[in-house]
Amino acid sequence: MPDAPVVDLLSDTLTQPTEAMRRAMADAPVGDDVFGEDPTVRRLEERVAELLGHEDALFAPTGSMANQLCLRLHVAHGEELVADSLAHVLRAEMGAAAVLSGISSRSWVADHGLLDAAQPLALMIPDGGTYQVNTRLVVVENTHNFGGGTVQPLEQIEALRAGTQPRGVAMHLDGARLWNAHVATGVPLATYGALFDTVSVCLSKGLGAPVGSVLAGSRDLMAQARIWRKRFGGGMRQVGILAAAGLHALDHHVERLADDHARARRFAEAAAAAAPGSIDPERVQTNIVVLDVAATGWTPAGFVQEAGRRGIRLYPVSATAVRLVWHLDVDDAGTDRAIAELVPMLQAGPQTS
Ligand SMILES: *Cc1c(COP(=O)(O)O)cnc(C)c1O
């Protein structure tokens, strides 16, 4: 095995559960959650439902399953969802909506993942007739992962709601990192939640839990989701051990996301000072930095390899860019190290020996 990276910016999924989180997991009262008898799971579901301003919620093993359950609830076989072209549900869930639920999809191209309500509103066809597929759902991702941690403007979400609701098109929020949007803007989670029919959130990204996501919606939708979760193979037993990690994270790891945001911004400012074409620091609103290394002559693969040699792990996110993600296990010293190793690489460009 190669040496472990000194600073691991691959993803905010990498975090190790803290000692305190492990203790909370060990101490959790549990029961059989398929029979609805796990008190810790129930406590997590009630807490997240309340935070998001919805009637009920359901624990799911992964963010992908939480999303796919919601898509399945809103869109029948042969009907359609629309989402931006880099949305996680289209780009990073292995075609699950098509494979598992017979859902067809179309997309619009969003600038850095930023929502412009006019784009989905122009794209959707709620009454397709006998020729076009009926659009049943618009998916919004907040923050936007592959767009670079982009926070969606509340007024655009409101404009989308105003345009979809009268036409009977539902809205799902992929809020894997909604916590980051909330901490960055101060907008209450429930204000975001109220604008959507269903919401999914991840406990295993910036919040630092080892496993787990939660979906939220009406009591009726969540009752249906419970059935589909079992069908999808996601009915789990004494899973309060995992829910306890999520509850611990909600108590201790939400407000600290501001530290991740500040470190990501500090890196972006250093990168922009050395290589202005590589990043606009104003775009770095949360914990993700998408760095255009092609602007400095690097290929993403070449940059990732050289960064790895210097002890920094990154992800090549596109044909021109690499992604760096700050999280619980990268501190100020790690950020300094990333700046010290990567900024000179941007400045010098690739070696042409
Ligand atoms: C991580 C993530 C998910 C869930 O992915 P899993 O790998 O299933 O945990 C969903 N949406 C977004 C935007 C994500 O970043």
Side-chain angles (χ1 to χ4, degrees):
M1 236 171 78
D3 290 345
V6 179
V7 185
D8 206 333
L9 298 167
L10 186 73
S11 173
D12 47 7
T13 58
L14 297 170
T15 51
Q16 296 281 321
T18 61
E19 276 308 308
M21 181 180 278
R22 286 172 185 265
R23 276 199 300 278
M25 296 170 76
D27 292 344
V30 296
D32 189 329
D33 185 51
V34 171
F35 293 109
E37 291 177 0
D38 190 304
T40 308
V41 171
R42 202 50 223 153
R43 207 148 64 79
L44 174 68
E45 290 171 341
E46 283 168 2
R47 174 123 177 236
V48 172
E50 188 181 334
L51 283 173
L52 296 173
H54 279 276
E55 283 176 357
D56 205 357
L58 188 71
F59 187 67
T62 67
S64 296
M65 190 186 287
N67 277 336
Q68 293 302 323
L69 288 169
C70 293
L71 306 187
R72 184 65 187 71
L73 295 179
H74 296 300
V75 192
H77 270 66
E79 295 182 328
E80 174 185 83
L81 67 80
V82 296
D84 83 272
S85 65
L86 295 181
H88 195 279
V89 293
L90 296 185
R91 186 182 187 254
E93 297 180 15
M94 306 303 297
V99 174
L100 302 177
S101 302
I103 295 171
S104 97
S105 52
R106 286 181 304 136
S107 56
W108 70 93
V109 175
D111 178 26
H112 293 84
L114 192 63
L115 176 66
D116 172 356
Q119 291 183 296
L121 290 175
L123 191 63
M124 68 186 203
I125 306 169
D127 38 16
T130 56
Y131 190 70
Q132 289 173 305
V133 178
N134 292 323
T135 310
R136 291 296 184 220
L137 180 70
V138 181
V139 179
V140 174
E141 189 171 309
N142 193 17
T143 67
H144 198 292
N145 180 349
F146 300 117
T150 310
V151 176
Q152 305 299 3
L154 197 56
E155 60 281 6
Q156 290 300 319
I157 304 173
E158 288 166 346
L160 184 59
R161 189 62 165 174
T164 52
Q165 205 163 30
R167 303 189 67 189
V169 174
M171 281 170 59
H172 171 66
L173 172 58
D174 179 351
R177 294 186 184 80
L178 190 64
W179 321 105
N180 298 81
H182 159 64
V183 167
T185 60
V187 173
L189 292 161
T191 302
Y192 288 122
L195 291 163
F196 293 88
D197 299 283
T198 51
V199 183
S200 66
V201 290
C202 282
L203 305 166
S204 59
K205 300 278 171 75
L207 293 198
V211 179
S213 282
V214 182
L215 54 148
S218 68
R219 217 175 294 289
D220 176 53
L221 282 175
M222 292 303 103
Q224 294 175 47
R226 189 173 283 279
I227 293 166
W228 279 103
R229 185 185 66 177
K230 192 77 175 76
R231 284 196 180 116
F232 282 0
M236 298 178 289
R237 304 297 180 172
Q238 286 72 24
V239 72
I241 284 177
L242 299 181
L247 283 163
H248 179 86
L250 290 176
D251 285 335
H252 300 286
H253 294 171
V254 176
E255 297 308 323
R256 68 149 303 284
L257 293 171
D259 298 341
D260 297 342
H261 300 176
R263 288 170 183 140
R265 175 66 83 99
R266 185 154 72 79
F267 175 88
E269 281 166 359
S278 65
I279 179 99
D280 173 1
E282 290 300 313
R283 286 204 180 283
V284 179
Q285 300 165 296
T286 58
N287 65 325
I288 301 178
V289 174
V290 171
L291 203 56
D292 184 345
V293 292
T296 63
W298 288 92
T299 63
F303 193 87
V304 165
Q305 189 178 17
E306 176 59 19
R309 219 181 49 76
R310 295 165 179 246
I312 319 281
R313 189 156 68 142
L314 318 170
Y315 175 68
V317 74
S318 73
T320 53
V322 300
R323 189 190 69 172
L324 300 74
V325 187
W326 267 260
H327 55 78
L328 199 53
D329 295 343
V330 179
D331 57 9
D332 283 329
T335 305
D336 290 340
R337 176 75 187 261
I339 291 171
E341 297 293 348
L342 301 183
V343 168
M345 286 172 57
L346 292 170
Q347 224 153 12
Q351 300 299 323
T352 52
S353 57

